[in-house]
Amino acid sequence: AAGQNKQHFITKNTAKLDRETEELHHDRVPLEVGKVIQQGRQSKGMTQKDLATKINEKPQVIADYESGRAIPNNQVMGKIERAIRLKLRGKDIGKPLETGPKGK
């Protein structure tokens, strides 16, 4: 298969993406969560870049989460929660993160 142009195999995925934008689309981060991230970050005196550096993500990721354009990722949400010490998931969005012992 070396040297062959395999671009024609991608059409199936492209069609799927086209349909996704028309009828069903991914859940996005709620604006409420974006506002909590922004307020938490600002209360700690951090810029989007500072927060991104702290959680090892790109500044664009933080911008997308704050604007509600991002598709939620639990791993990223967890890192942001720990960095700004505020809950972003569940029913207590915006409440301080409890720092108790982790139980398994």
Side-chain angles (χ1 to χ4, degrees):
Q4 290 181 0
N5 186 353
K6 295 203 170 197
Q7 226 167 1
H8 58 276
F9 289 114
I10 297 174
T11 53
K12 207 185 313 177
N13 290 337
T14 309
K16 193 187 289 184
L17 282 173
D18 287 344
R19 278 196 309 279
E20 176 195 82
T21 54
E22 290 166 16
E23 48 203 62
L24 47 113
H25 39 273
H26 290 294
D27 291 336
R28 302 269 187 241
V29 175
L31 275 176
E32 175 192 7
V33 172
K35 285 182 179 157
V36 170
I37 294 171
Q38 190 173 19
Q39 289 163 355
R41 173 178 61 76
Q42 288 170 343
S43 73
K44 299 236 180 287
M46 290 194 279
T47 63
Q48 287 182 341
K49 187 176 181 197
D50 294 337
L51 179 56
T53 304
K54 187 170 183 169
I55 67 166
N56 289 326
E57 292 290 341
K58 293 180 179 161
Q60 186 60 47
V61 171
I62 303 301
D64 287 347
Y65 271 83
E66 286 185 4
S67 66
R69 286 191 310 258
I71 296 168
N73 176 327
N74 277 330
Q75 201 172 7
V76 175
M77 296 281 270
K79 291 195 284 187
I80 295 172
E81 279 180 336
R82 287 190 297 280
I84 63 173
R85 315 277 343 132
L86 293 173
K87 286 193 173 194
L88 301 175
R89 301 172 282 189
K91 59 183 187 300
D92 307 338
I93 293 173
K95 298 246 168 69
L97 201 61
E98 286 109 35
T99 53
K102 286 189 176 179
K104 284 196 173 186

